[in-house]
Amino acid sequence: MPMPHQVQMRLIKRRLVGKDGSARIKELRQVLTELPDYKNGPYADIRKWVLAEIDQTRGRSKVVHRDSIAVRREGVSQIALVGPPNVGKSSLLQALSRIQIKTGDYAFTTLRPVPALTLIKGVPVQLVEIPGLLGGATADRGGGRALLGVLRGADGIVYCHDANASVGPLLQVRREVADAGIDVPSILAVTKADEADPGALERVRSVVPGVDVFAVSVLDDGTLEAFREAVWRLTGLVRVFTRKPGSEARDPMALDPGATVADVAAELHNDLRTECRGARIWGPSAKFDGQLVGRDHVVEEDDVIEVIV
């Protein structure tokens, strides 16, 4: 029986991260061979999406871009912060990562993507600040093609909007990203919330329906912590803990949804995948504390796992 179609779609998109051209087409064709051959329903829609991606990738491969920007991936997931110029992306990145960035109350303070690691739920997540996107970015205005290329390789996008600004520039950025054919999970952060009037959040929600919107201020630790939780959900990953028998020390680990005890063992050491016989589990996936489970047992968020070899 196939897994839920929402999970399947998320895993497919994760497999495509960082792949372009022939490598992306090859991966998409492999996905097609693995999908159930349903004629109707959600899985039929997934097949249509994959076929459309193949066509779009062929089209993009025929276009030669003069500029490219490479951002080396670090951490368990890469999340891009994107928005119009001067909406507080640099201040937000600095507050979350403690990285020192030049900030200023004027446009285009940041000229190239700035990556930084932040710990969320004990695991490192890479945030990448994208310089302010302009209308016409898909036509390479302001070096937009290279910046959109960075977005295409991200696992998720956080759109940033100044709570006190017009929503026009935000909607323009979202159009440019859509026109570039970029389709990754996203949320919207309304920055400078400490300076906003009470109705600012609802005004933004009204023009971007269907998107999770969060108010955040770099001066308010509570909103920053809520934002971290939102970014974690955006990664689509599951955080579990591993520990050695007889020890209380727990080490966090990030996994794709549907991961099994055998996958946990392989993350600890590749040889353990074959040596693993099962595990003891404490947490949401266990019927009782210390339950003995097999290697195919699916783990859940916040499980504590002792692998048995």
Side-chain angles (χ1 to χ4, degrees):
M1 183 175 180
M3 69 178 69
H5 66 276
Q6 302 97 325
V7 175
Q8 181 72 73
M9 193 66 183
R10 190 182 304 125
L11 294 178
I12 290 171
K13 289 182 177 179
R14 189 171 293 282
R15 287 170 62 174
L16 298 176
V17 169
K19 292 184 172 68
D20 283 309
S22 60
R24 188 178 181 87
I25 291 173
K26 182 178 179 181
E27 189 68 32
L28 287 164
R29 286 175 174 162
Q30 179 61 35
V31 167
L32 280 178
T33 66
E34 299 169 4
L35 288 173
D37 193 19
Y38 295 159
K39 304 301 181 186
N40 298 291
Y43 267 88
D45 294 338
I46 292 178
R47 292 187 71 87
K48 291 176 184 177
W49 182 87
V50 172
L51 290 168
E53 270 301 297
I54 290 174
D55 289 340
Q56 290 181 17
T57 302
R58 285 198 187 106
R60 287 196 296 265
S61 296
K62 295 176 182 178
V63 180
V64 177
H65 298 315
R66 293 173 299 169
D67 301 314
S68 63
I69 300 174
V71 177
R72 185 167 65 88
R73 294 176 67 91
E74 295 182 290
V76 299
S77 188
Q78 185 185 81
I79 305 297
L81 307 181
V82 65
N86 199 33
V87 293
K89 298 186 298 294
S90 294
S91 296
L92 182 56
L93 184 66
Q94 185 165 302
L96 292 169
S97 66
R98 308 304 179 192
I99 188 175
Q100 294 300 308
I101 309 171
K102 180 182 178 182
T103 59
D105 192 21
Y106 50 89
F108 303 109
T109 310
T110 303
L111 301 177
R112 293 182 64 84
V114 178
L117 281 178
T118 184
L119 284 179
I120 303 180
K121 289 183 173 285
V123 295
V125 175
Q126 185 184 49
L127 303 177
V128 182
E129 179 195 354
I130 306 297
L133 284 180
L134 302 172
T138 52
D140 209 25
R141 185 184 177 200
R145 283 179 180 167
L147 300 178
L148 290 167
V150 177
L151 282 182
R152 187 170 286 112
D155 299 313
I157 294 175
V158 176
Y159 290 98
C160 296
H161 169 69
D162 184 337
N164 302 294
S166 162
V167 296
L170 167 68
L171 297 179
Q172 190 173 57
V173 167
R174 288 173 57 81
R175 281 195 297 270
E176 291 295 333
V177 174
D179 289 346
I182 298 169
D183 181 20
V184 298
S186 65
I187 60 175
L188 198 158
V190 178
T191 62
K192 308 178 186 179
D194 55 297
E195 305 172 6
D197 66 77
L201 204 61
E202 290 308 315
R203 284 198 299 274
V204 175
R205 286 196 173 109
S206 69
V207 298
V208 286
V211 178
D212 288 334
V213 180
F214 300 87
V216 62
S217 166
V218 298
L219 303 178
D220 185 335
D221 289 341
T223 64
L224 287 173
E225 189 56 36
F227 179 71
R228 287 178 186 273
E229 290 288 334
V231 170
W232 178 255
R233 292 192 294 273
L234 185 60
T235 69
L237 297 172
V238 174
R239 190 272 309 269
V240 300
F241 297 94
T242 61
R243 73 182 189 190
K244 296 178 180 179
S247 171
E248 292 299 316
R250 307 190 308 175
D251 296 316
M253 175 186 293
L255 301 161
D256 286 324
T260 65
V261 166
D263 295 322
V264 173
E267 284 290 319
L268 291 171
H269 194 286
N270 192 50
D271 293 342
L272 289 181
R273 178 181 287 276
T274 55
E275 297 175 5
C276 170
R277 294 192 295 111
R280 292 193 182 277
I281 301 280
W282 291 257
S285 78
K287 295 179 180 178
F288 52 86
D289 282 350
Q291 181 187 3
L292 184 61
V293 300
R295 53 184 284 113
D296 294 328
H297 177 85
V298 177
V299 300
E300 297 181 19
E301 182 86 10
D302 291 334
D303 275 350
V304 179
I305 303 156
E306 287 184 1
V307 173
I308 299 172
V309 297

